[in-house]
Amino acid sequence: MSNTMIPEPRREVNSNPRLQAALWWASRGAPVLPLCWPTSDGRCACGGGHQDHTVGKAPLARFVPRGLHDATTNPDVIQLWWKACPQANVGVRLDTMLVVDLDSEGALEEATRLGLPHGTPIIKTARGYHLYFNRPPDVSGGWHIKIASFTAEVKAGAGHYIIVHPSRHRSGALYSVHKVGRFPLPDPPAWVFQRQEAERTTTAPQLDGPITEGVRNITLTSIAGSLRRHGADEATIRAALMAVNRERCSPPLPDAEVARIAASVARYPVAPRSAARARDGEEVLEIQAARESQAHALLRLASKAELFRDNERVAWAAVSSSDGKEVYRVRSREFRAWLAQQFYQVFGRPPGETAVRDALETIEAQALFSGREEKVYVRVAQCNGKIYIDLCDSSHAAVEIDEAGWRIVHNPPVMFYRPPGTRSLPIPQPGGDLRELRRFVNLPDDETFVLVVSWLIGALRPRGPHPILIVEGPAGSGKSTLCRVLRALVDPNAAPLRQPPRDVRDMFVAAVNTWVVAWDNVSSIPHWLSDAMCSIATEGGYVTRKLYTDSEETLLTAQRPFIVNGIDELATRGDLRDRSLRVVLHRLEETETRDEESLWAEFEEARPRLLGALLTAVSEALRAWPTTHLAQSPRMADFARWVTAAEGALPWESGVFLRTYQGLRAAVAAEALEDPLPQALLALVDSSGAFSGTAKDLLTELAAYVDETTARSAAWPKSPRALSGRLRRLASDLRTAGIIVAFGAEGRGRAKRRVVRLFKVDEESDEPEENTPLQLSLAEELSSSSLEPRTETLESSPEPPDGGAPDEGGSAEPFSEACQTDALLTDEEPVGLHLKQELDAARLDYDRHVASCQECSLYKRCEVGAALRDRYYETLDAYHSWRRGDAQNQDSWSTNLQPGQEPE
């Protein structure tokens, strides 16, 4: 050892004084080990049940399961120990030292009077002092000596350890340096050995007779080891030790300490006693485990984790700590690293690659076939009617939201996974006002503010469908800042804004590993990306072949809110427009711009208040959800109902959101009609009143309403099939302009052809807006140019009455809207008008029943529904007979079923 003094630990910035002390002792060749530490109320923080004098002194079993045998001078292992438990006390094994434990100030005075060598280090303990000396080669063990009227304890050798400064005593006092000494340590004075022979006590186990204080632990451990070698399990060992403790120990050890000894010894596999050695007349029993493979050791270490599977049969592990639970995929890099760290902490070396692979396969099997099924959430979850939001901080805190309000909880009843890059939310504060958000972002008008806040409320709902917020505006309008601020309030991330992925698989992988999907500076959204966005916003899935397999599949499912910003118009397809909240920002003037440092500093100060206001609104939505009903449900109806339910806690009057949302949809639809194709369709219907024919005929007709340049452009459909697809996507937008697009069929058999009809909506019609299966069937029947009697039954119909014929594109989308009847029937005679009224009445009765009946579905009808459907077909046949001039069928119908008569 070098000729240095025992110093106070260095107080470096962000350093751990206990770690510094442990490294200092290790650098002098003294093996160290981590010990338990006391809590503020005097209990043991390790949870091992240590009591009284053992509090803060026992080795940390999870790091040093073999106690003194695992003490080390390896600085890497020591740093891992104190990084995991920075409050752990420091123990030093007395391989080369002899320590005198004095219990009082008077004992130190007497020892000083007897004589202490120059440079003797003296450490102040809670009640007394420790004197450090060099251990003579022939001295080891422990004994008591008399110093005048005081008693002191002497310890020496590898079978003992001492607690060093700056550890904490159970009383709360810190061990400290009373007098600085030197290395090499001085030899002990002669008086240390004066009573050695008379007062020496052995630390060997007392296998017979009473077990006195000082040898209770080692004796019980010896008995436990003997039982384990003969195959006894933990329960048997614990019962035997409890009986020995009661009958022979004086005084008995606490039951918790006895249970700890039994559990510690029971961890070892059953094996014969491998060694027994004597040192200076003391018999030390060593329990050495049988040769254990690395894979088995990894499995034993992995037993600390809670294994389970999700509903997609993916294996997960929840690792508990003093702060909470960390959740990892068993096949993830994080769990693999955790397992390797556990192995390194125990054995001081890394595990082999083959052992890790074998262990992970076994752990995965245990999770899949022995673990319970548990859903795993990212950031936002719902359980038992409550919403939980993971704050993702070091304390593993979450926000619990219910109808009564919100609160901070620890260890929520759901499994939260924290993907790489996840950042923490602040601790929310009550009393915030969402109008404060306008201080930090460019929201040009109240409508934009309402839509942005509505997106935030929707993004905190665990279940979708979620809205897609599209932010458009010129350069310098603060689009990216708005997106960053919104994400920081819901799901902060190390990379808040990203570029769109290159394929659907990468898009689903990104969505699975975050809550909010945010893209920055998007120039355009191709069709495949638009479809994938709509799928994820309303919960979609992606399936691909699992790597290195022939028939196994990997399933990725996600339902996430989106933020997208760009300069150009991004939502060009109808399905994406229907799921989007589109806001347009104006360019900021120079007087309106701010430097980012001050902006984000002020935002961070306000973020807890803004988050608290959002949570209050979510709580209000939970409270009002059961009683909130929309008179008319727009697209994304669940989202609209959710925000409407939250309006009681939002900074605007009730009903403002729905008016703003409907106004947005109308404006977006009007913009969609500005393209050449819808303009040509509007011109065609305005000039002709209606159109009926094939898609090829319609494409020829439309050519007269556009110039040659437009007809050659990429925006113009080049084939009937392309036109048919464009019409379907434009159908909802054209309806807002009063134009109905309907697909159907004419003729029967080989003469049957697909037709498209365009006509204006009868504004005075009180027909329901939504198509029902019966309305589709009516339109299909009336679209037929053949007036032959209906002879096929419902069971034999090639086109079921609750479906329709496929169009040219191959999808089933039949003729729509009941008001088509008025477009096809003009100048009817009185009998024909009477039949038409009965036909309409039959249809409406059927529609109302299906809408309110719990038993009726698309392919099944209850008894009343079937009767109403039969009435409709009877009326339809009578109407066909009248148009064909079949008076016999007409009279039969008039006799058997009068107007307004209900079917039996």
Side-chain angles (χ1 to χ4, degrees), residues 311-312 508 511-512 536 539-543 555-560:
N311 53 5
E312 296 170 7
F508 270 87
V512 166
I536 292 177
E539 190 172 19
Y542 177 83
V543 179
L555 173 63
L556 300 174
T557 60
Q559 188 178 46
R560 301 288 189 260

Side-chain angles (χ1 to χ4, degrees), residues 29 213 450 761 874:
E213 187 173 5
V450 169
V761 177
E874 291 174 2

Side-chain angles (χ1 to χ4, degrees), residues 607-661:
R607 190 156 67 125
R609 298 191 298 272
L610 292 170
L611 179 58
L614 286 174
L615 300 179
T616 301
V618 172
S619 175
E620 173 65 16
L622 286 174
R623 186 196 64 79
W625 174 265
T627 60
T628 300
H629 302 284
L630 306 181
Q632 292 183 346
S633 296
R635 193 68 181 267
M636 307 287 284
D638 291 78
F639 162 68
R641 182 183 172 192
W642 178 255
V643 179
T644 302
E647 282 189 311
L650 295 176
W652 59 73
E653 296 180 357
S654 178
V656 169
F657 164 72
L658 272 182
R659 292 195 298 271
T660 304
Y661 188 42

Side-chain angles (χ1 to χ4, degrees), residues 387-454:
I387 292 177
Y388 294 89
I389 299 177
D390 187 10
L391 296 181
C392 294
D393 58 7
S394 59
S395 66
H396 291 78
V399 180
E400 181 184 76
I401 313 172
D402 56 20
E403 300 174 359
W406 55 267
R407 64 206 61 86
I408 304 297
V409 297
H410 294 274
N411 295 319
V414 294
M415 292 292 186
F416 276 120
Y417 169 57
R418 297 178 175 182
T422 302
R423 293 295 181 264
S424 62
L425 284 167
I427 300 298
Q429 297 177 2
D433 190 336
L434 288 172
R435 285 171 291 192
E436 190 177 5
L437 179 65
R438 305 185 77 161
R439 291 173 46 203
F440 311 106
V441 293
N442 176 24
L443 301 178
D445 50 47
D446 291 340
E447 288 75 13
T448 303
F449 172 71
V450 169
L451 293 174
V452 166
V453 172
S454 300

